Amino acid sequence: MSKRTASSTSFGSSNTPLAKRTSLNAYFPSTTGPPKPPSPLVSSDPLTDRSSTFIAHAAPCTNHTQAQTLQNYVRNLRSTTHPVECTHEIMAYRCMGLKPGKTGLDSEDDWKVEINGDDDGEKGGSTIIKQVLTQEGGVDVAIVVSRLYGGVMLGPVRFNHIRACASQALSRLLSAQNLSNLLSRLSSLDAEIASHSSSPTKAPAKDQYVGLDEAKAERLVTAREKRLELLVKKRRQEEEELWREVERQEAEENSEPVEQPAVAGEVKEAEDGSVDANEEEEALARAVEDEAGAQGGGFLPEEAGAVDAESKEVAGQAGLANGK
């Protein structure tokens, strides 16, 4: 076996933005064909070594059936990097699954990690992909590494190529999923900012985030979160000031004395004075009568009449005095 030189193995450029790469769906001649795997579906750059070409495809996966769907889809794929049916379509997947008899509602122990693969004639190939998935944290992911055999046996180095392609495809899939989550977060933040803004804001264009890469999306999310935080703080301060103003006005209203009309006050004062005068007259008259009654028992009838006349005269004078 000839020794591989550095120039005989090449990776395509890994700096190509994900959004600018051609969709794999464009390579199907018609809408008929094998079922498509869940999106996003990403691929690695092709790697060529002594006429053998390796390329990996990765997609979300939650069970064995979806992993087989991806494998069959890639097997029938025709593109510049996958022009014919390849010699091997090496597949492996790693996903979370429920243990038998479990519902997933009790605890984390209800779940298990399911990992499996298919060498498709390349013995030990799926083991390499499973190692990549485990070591790089791939969960609910399936990867298919295609190898187009060029007639020259590569030996153990072929496993390095399988690992490199699988790792690059997984990294791109995780980035694509993260970008999708960031774009969803941006849309949610835009809606929240509009609801907290005091002035009407222009609705964001539907295509304003098209072509946005992961790094820019992360910066935008951070900026939007800070803006929303300031708007929420400002709204809270405005509400607190409003409540303080309401409480101040209520306190002022409760502390103001109730003023009575002037005419009503004068009438009440006159009535009070009249009542006091009548009470004094009645009390004085009772006192005179009591005194006369107490003394009248030892008098003669004519003397009693004189006392009675005197008491009436005193009572009359008291009434005149109070009437002044």
Side-chain angles (χ1 to χ4, degrees):
M1 182 181 296
S2 60
K3 184 177 181 181
R4 179 173 59 87
T5 62
S7 60
S8 62
T9 302
S10 62
F11 253 123
S13 173
S14 60
N15 296 324
T16 305
L18 182 62
K20 294 183 179 180
R21 289 200 294 273
T22 305
S23 171
L24 294 174
N25 297 335
Y27 297 115
F28 279 101
S30 67
T31 56
T32 61
K36 297 179 181 179
S39 60
L41 174 63
V42 301
S43 63
S44 70
D45 296 324
L47 187 156
T48 301
D49 180 10
R50 288 166 286 174
S51 301
S52 286
T53 300
F54 299 81
I55 185 171
H57 296 82
C61 169
T62 58
N63 52 56
H64 179 73
T65 301
Q66 289 184 346
Q68 287 184 320
T69 298
L70 175 63
Q71 186 182 33
N72 190 42
Y73 180 87
V74 173
R75 191 185 307 277
N76 291 274
L77 184 63
R78 300 296 177 264
S79 69
T80 54
T81 56
H82 198 286
V84 296
E85 183 174 348
C86 291
T87 313
H88 308 288
E89 300 291 356
I90 313 160
M91 179 270 290
Y93 67 94
R94 184 171 183 258
C95 59
M96 297 295 294
L98 284 172
K99 294 179 180 178
K102 299 295 184 178
T103 62
L105 302 177
D106 297 332
S107 66
E108 294 181 356
D109 294 335
D110 288 3
W111 299 87
K112 65 177 181 179
V113 177
E114 182 180 353
I115 185 167
N116 209 336
D118 176 18
D119 288 338
D120 195 35
E122 185 69 88
K123 188 176 181 179
S126 65
T127 300
I128 301 300
I129 302 176
K130 286 186 282 187
Q131 290 175 357
V132 170
L133 289 169
T134 302
Q135 294 169 0
E136 300 185 17
V139 179
D140 292 340
V141 175
I143 299 176
V144 174
V145 177
S146 306
R147 180 190 178 185
L148 180 61
Y149 181 62
V152 178
M153 298 182 65
L154 302 182
V157 73
R158 68 188 186 277
F159 296 120
N160 295 339
H161 302 335
I162 293 172
R163 182 185 300 276
C165 289
S167 178
Q168 189 181 63
L170 176 60
S171 176
R172 288 179 175 176
L173 176 62
L174 296 179
S175 294
Q177 291 176 323
N178 187 43
L179 178 59
S180 178
N181 294 334
L182 289 171
L183 295 180
S184 297
R185 176 61 176 158
L186 277 174
S187 298
S188 176
L189 287 170
D190 287 340
E192 290 187 65
I193 289 172
S195 67
H196 283 83
S197 179
S198 57
S199 58
T201 57
K202 184 179 179 181
K206 294 182 179 180
D207 58 347
Q208 68 170 338
Y209 299 132
V210 173
L212 201 65
D213 60 28
E214 189 177 4
K216 290 181 179 179
E218 288 178 347
R219 290 196 296 269
L220 274 177
V221 166
T222 301
R224 294 285 197 279
E225 288 175 342
K226 290 182 178 179
R227 181 180 176 186
L228 178 61
E229 182 181 355
L230 291 174
L231 286 173
V232 171
K233 183 178 180 180
K234 180 181 178 182
R235 175 66 63 85
R236 188 181 299 113
Q237 290 175 345
E238 291 175 349
E239 290 177 351
E240 290 176 354
E241 291 177 359
L242 179 61
W243 278 112
R244 283 196 294 267
E245 179 64 20
V246 170
E247 291 175 352
R248 185 185 64 80
Q249 292 179 358
E250 290 179 349
E252 290 179 354
E253 292 176 358
N254 294 333
S255 63
E256 290 180 357
V258 179
E259 296 182 357
Q260 297 293 338
V263 175
E266 293 175 358
V267 172
K268 185 176 186 300
E269 183 179 356
E271 291 177 349
D272 292 342
S274 175
V275 170
D276 293 341
N278 292 335
E279 290 178 352
E280 289 178 359
E281 291 175 1
E282 292 177 358
L284 182 57
R286 284 195 301 271
V288 172
E289 290 177 356
D290 292 341
E291 182 180 359
Q295 296 177 356
F299 294 155
L300 295 174
E302 58 272 16
E303 292 176 341
V307 172
D308 183 61
E310 183 180 0
S311 65
K312 289 181 179 180
E313 182 180 357
V314 172
Q317 292 176 356
L320 291 175
N322 291 331
K324 289 182 179 180

